[in-house]
Amino acid sequence: MIVADRKPLQEILEYIKDYKKIMLMGCGGCVTVCFSGGAKAVELLASQIKMARKEQGNDIEIIECTPTRQCEYEFLEELKKDVESVEAVLSIACGVGVQAMAVHFPEMHTVPGLNTKFMGYPVEHALWEEKCAGCGDCVLEWTGGLCPISRCAKKLLNGPCGGSADGVCEVNKDNECVWQLIYDRLKKLGKLENLNQVRKPKDWRTSTNAGQRRIKFEEAML
Amino acid sequence: MKSGSKLEKVLTAGKFAITAELGPPQNANPEAIKKKAQHCLGVAEAVNITDNQTAIVRMSSIAAAAIAVSCGLEPVAQMVCRDRNRIAMQSDLLGAAALGIKNILCLSGDHQSFGNHPEAKNVYCLDSMQLISMVKQMRDEKTFISGDPIKEYEPKFFIGAVANPFADPFEFRVVRLAKKIQAGADFIQTQCIFDLDKFEKWMELVVKEGLHKKVYIMAGITPIRSSRALKYMKTEVAGMSIPDELIERMDAAEDPKEEGVNIACEMIERIKKIEGVSGLHLMPIGWESITPVILERTGLLPRPEVD
Ligand code: SF4
Ligand code: SF4
């Protein structure tokens, strides 16, 4: 899932300072699961904004909504009437949702209320960790299902580096060294030989090097 | 001869080799290099010129290495994977060879979060293993990493890499050394050694695998001036092994500097006897003037002549 985090309230207030009536749009997808952009987050942020603006003596009207997914035009289309009744949309979907919104309603000023962080999952209650950087050429087959591209601070394909100690990454003590984990896991699987060969340089063309990437699913074409 | 460097000649002649280290200045002053180079002349076969070590901006290692060449000193130019992609690295390798640099040391590099530009974006287009094989490919196959031919004048380097016997997982450290040899390393400089027992254990495994016959291993030595420096390294530097006895010994010393030199000399005497070690890499951090003293006391001066 995509994991995102609320922007500071001050920053959000600055974005919408010129507007008297906005829509605050959440998303029922990933950001609902990670608490940052679901219906509850919409409700909470709306009341925080209203309170702050009231204190400034500059009331604001907010229409709250949380479509099933903000990143699909058909869900946005259902909100058309409400969208057209406001001066701006504050979106607390991930960056993908914000862009879908901005493109679908080109006349509308849409601003982000979240910082989109990464693709990951909750490793325990209310703690998410990054697990994939979308590099476009997955290596998990030979790494025991653990990703060195998103989880190693140096994206090593031939790790671990010389700073791996006691299972901890030298760059960030909160993180386990993923290369230690890969080693341990392959040992358990009886596949340590996966680490005997020097792995060739990665072809970064599959990654974010040439701007937007596209996927066309031919079989589903109408 | 792969590169014809002095370091290569001394090592292939089976002589115990010495390398030292020189950090370029944090400004554009060439005199700083020339001055430090004077300490190293006649003391070491070659001197590592660090590449923005600990991610602090300094004069380019290749520019500083070229200045060292002009002083009659043989450099080992370090190249890290942190700051450059494969295009820039190959371009710099061509430039380094053109400037008379014959030894290259390939490293992944300290992460930018340790330095004075933590906001920087890192590159790691290649990792250190892949950098080693690229330098070898350019030299031996006379092609760029893309496969395009290098038309004559291929860069010929004696290729160095690093090994840290003290990092985890310990059992994998020998496999990793074997991979660096497979990639094309000609010589290895180790992380600075304080835990000699662990180093000996690692070398036993290295010898058991026959790796010492495929690569020249140079043991890293850092003379220390105070127990404070040791304690700092123990707690702050990842992948270092520092025995408590050493700290106690430095704590108890009346003259810590003298004791530091004693310790370094004792370690060198023990290392000389370890099978498979071909030389020393001396890294006296900010204490360059002590290098000749230590080498003198351990009978490693004068340096052997090679043609
Ligand atoms: S290797 Fe690439 S695609 Fe696979 S998990 Fe890692 S970043 Fe994602
Ligand atoms: S300690 Fe491990 S995870 Fe951290 S940079 Fe080194 S190899 Fe990567």
Side-chain angles (χ1 to χ4, degrees):
Chain A
M1 59 178 283
I2 294 174
V3 185
D5 209 10
R6 250 273 303 279
K7 279 181 179 284
L9 185 61
Q10 276 315 316
E11 187 179 336
I12 294 174
L13 289 171
E14 179 66 25
Y15 289 169
I16 55 171
K17 67 175 189 308
D18 296 333
Y19 304 118
K20 294 266 184 207
K21 184 176 180 187
I22 65 162
M23 172 183 267
L24 175 47
M25 192 189 288
C27 174
C30 305
V31 290
T32 294
V33 183
C34 70
F35 304 134
S36 53
K40 273 195 185 148
V42 167
E43 201 185 315
L44 177 70
L45 180 58
S47 66
Q48 286 174 322
I49 293 171
K50 279 190 234 162
M51 211 185 308
R53 287 284 289 260
K54 204 180 179 85
E55 275 172 25
Q56 295 168 7
N58 182 17
D59 279 337
I60 185 166
E61 192 184 330
I62 300 178
I63 300 179
E64 299 174 27
C65 69
T66 305
T68 311
R69 278 191 296 281
Q70 204 181 119
C71 60
E72 282 183 53
Y73 292 159
E74 56 178 288
F75 296 117
L76 294 175
E77 191 57 29
E78 290 168 10
L79 299 163
K80 192 169 185 255
K81 253 178 113 181
D82 280 339
V83 169
E84 283 170 353
S85 75
V86 299
E87 298 164 83
V89 173
L90 169 60
S91 159
I92 54 171
C94 72
V96 180
V98 178
Q99 291 181 65
M101 185 47 224
V103 169
H104 197 64
F105 296 103
E107 311 289 316
M108 185 57 51
H109 187 200
T110 301
V111 297
L114 300 185
N115 289 317
T116 304
K117 293 289 173 79
F118 52 76
M119 285 185 271
Y121 65 81
V123 289
E124 55 185 72
H125 179 67
L127 175 63
W128 281 265
E129 281 179 358
E130 180 169 16
K131 302 297 174 196
C132 174
C135 76
D137 184 14
C138 195
V139 303
L140 294 182
E141 183 274 325
W142 61 265
T143 59
L146 302 165
C147 172
I149 305 301
S150 59
R151 298 176 63 181
C152 167
K154 299 175 188 170
K155 303 184 194 81
L156 303 180
L157 280 179
N158 292 285
C161 77
S164 175
D166 305 318
V168 173
C169 172
E170 66 165 354
V171 176
N172 179 352
K173 303 265 180 280
D174 291 334
N175 280 342
E176 291 167 291
C177 166
V178 73
W179 271 104
Q180 173 77 54
L181 298 177
I182 291 171
Y183 178 84
D184 294 343
R185 182 131 175 76
L186 289 176
K187 195 170 174 182
K188 251 195 212 132
L189 293 173
K191 287 187 187 293
L192 270 183
E193 76 272 6
N194 286 5
L195 303 183
N196 287 349
Q197 294 299 314
V198 175
R199 294 286 165 174
K200 294 257 158 57
K202 202 164 169 55
D203 180 347
W204 294 106
R205 276 177 299 189
T206 60
S207 190
T208 51
N209 271 349
Q212 172 179 289
R213 292 170 281 175
R214 316 177 76 197
I215 295 175
K216 202 167 178 180
F217 191 55
E218 300 287 352
E219 279 144 60
M221 299 298 284
L222 297 175
Chain B
M1 283 281 132
K2 289 168 171 167
S3 71
S5 76
K6 197 177 189 188
L7 179 61
E8 181 181 6
K9 285 179 186 161
V10 170
L11 285 168
T12 49
K15 299 196 165 109
F16 201 73
I18 307 290
T19 50
E21 200 156 289
L22 192 163
Q26 293 184 53
N27 60 23
N29 179 14
E31 298 308 317
I33 315 269
K34 292 179 186 162
K35 211 171 126 203
K36 282 190 181 176
Q38 296 314 312
H39 286 302
C40 304
L41 278 171
V43 169
E45 274 66 67
V47 176
N48 284 31
I49 313 290
T50 51
D51 180 5
N52 297 298
Q53 201 172 13
T54 64
I56 288 172
V57 176
R58 292 172 180 276
M59 185 189 291
S60 124
S61 65
I62 289 167
I67 296 170
V69 171
S70 75
C71 302
L73 196 67
E74 180 170 298
V76 177
Q78 297 197 359
M79 182 174 269
V80 302
C81 302
R82 179 191 58 223
D83 308 323
R84 277 165 288 194
N85 68 10
R86 60 193 84 180
I87 300 172
M89 283 173 145
Q90 291 177 104
S91 157
D92 279 350
L93 287 165
L94 296 180
L99 288 165
I101 296 161
K102 292 177 176 162
N103 310 295
I104 286 280
L105 188 84
C106 308
L107 314 108
S108 35
D110 297 313
H111 193 265
Q112 72 276 9
S113 59
F114 295 113
N116 58 357
H117 291 73
E119 14 352 50
K121 182 178 192 297
N122 64 30
V123 182
Y124 297 111
C125 178
L126 303 179
D127 65 23
S128 60
M129 209 72 81
Q130 297 157 348
L131 171 57
I132 296 166
S133 65
M134 183 174 78
V135 182
K136 183 182 160 70
Q137 181 184 342
M138 291 172 86
R139 181 189 71 196
D140 296 350
E141 289 167 36
K142 305 180 180 43
T143 54
F144 292 104
I145 195 170
S146 63
D148 284 358
I150 302 173
K151 298 190 187 99
E152 301 178 89
Y153 298 103
E154 70 279 8
K156 291 185 190 149
F157 292 111
F158 194 48
I159 306 169
V162 294
N164 184 0
F166 311 107
D168 288 324
F170 180 71
E171 324 81 77
F172 190 64
R173 290 292 150 185
V174 178
V175 181
R176 204 167 142 75
L177 174 66
K179 283 172 83 168
K180 290 202 170 172
I181 297 168
Q182 184 195 334
D186 299 309
F187 69 100
I188 296 287
Q189 293 171 335
T190 76
Q191 169 72 290
C192 44
I193 302 163
F194 294 105
D195 187 344
L196 255 177
D197 295 339
K198 197 162 184 182
F199 179 67
E200 277 176 342
K201 219 164 101 194
W202 183 74
M203 279 307 301
E204 259 172 45
L205 296 174
V206 169
V207 170
K208 210 173 108 200
E209 296 294 324
L211 300 180
H212 63 306
K213 298 215 171 96
K214 298 181 183 160
V215 77
Y216 299 104
I217 295 171
M218 308 185 72
I221 292 286
T222 291
I224 23 127
R225 282 181 283 191
S226 68
S227 67
R228 210 170 40 117
L230 276 181
K231 287 174 194 157
Y232 174 81
M233 285 191 265
K234 190 173 175 114
T235 54
E236 299 301 320
V237 184
M240 288 280 244
S241 175
I242 298 179
D244 289 329
E245 305 93 77
L246 212 57
I247 295 177
E248 284 158 23
R249 190 170 157 192
M250 284 301 286
D251 270 335
E254 261 175 43
D255 181 349
K257 278 191 177 178
E258 179 56 26
E259 194 68 346
V261 172
N262 290 338
I263 291 171
C265 292
E266 287 166 28
M267 288 212 278
I268 290 172
E269 292 302 348
R270 237 176 103 185
I271 286 169
K272 280 203 246 168
K273 295 195 193 99
I274 300 175
E275 187 186 356
V277 178
S278 301
L280 295 177
H281 176 53
L282 283 157
M283 300 166 270
I285 305 157
W287 197 17
E288 281 82 7
S289 58
I290 203 64
T291 305
V293 178
I294 291 173
L295 292 176
E296 190 72 57
R297 268 179 57 180
T298 47
L300 292 165
L301 287 183
R303 301 304 309 143
E305 295 285 330
V306 280
D307 44 63

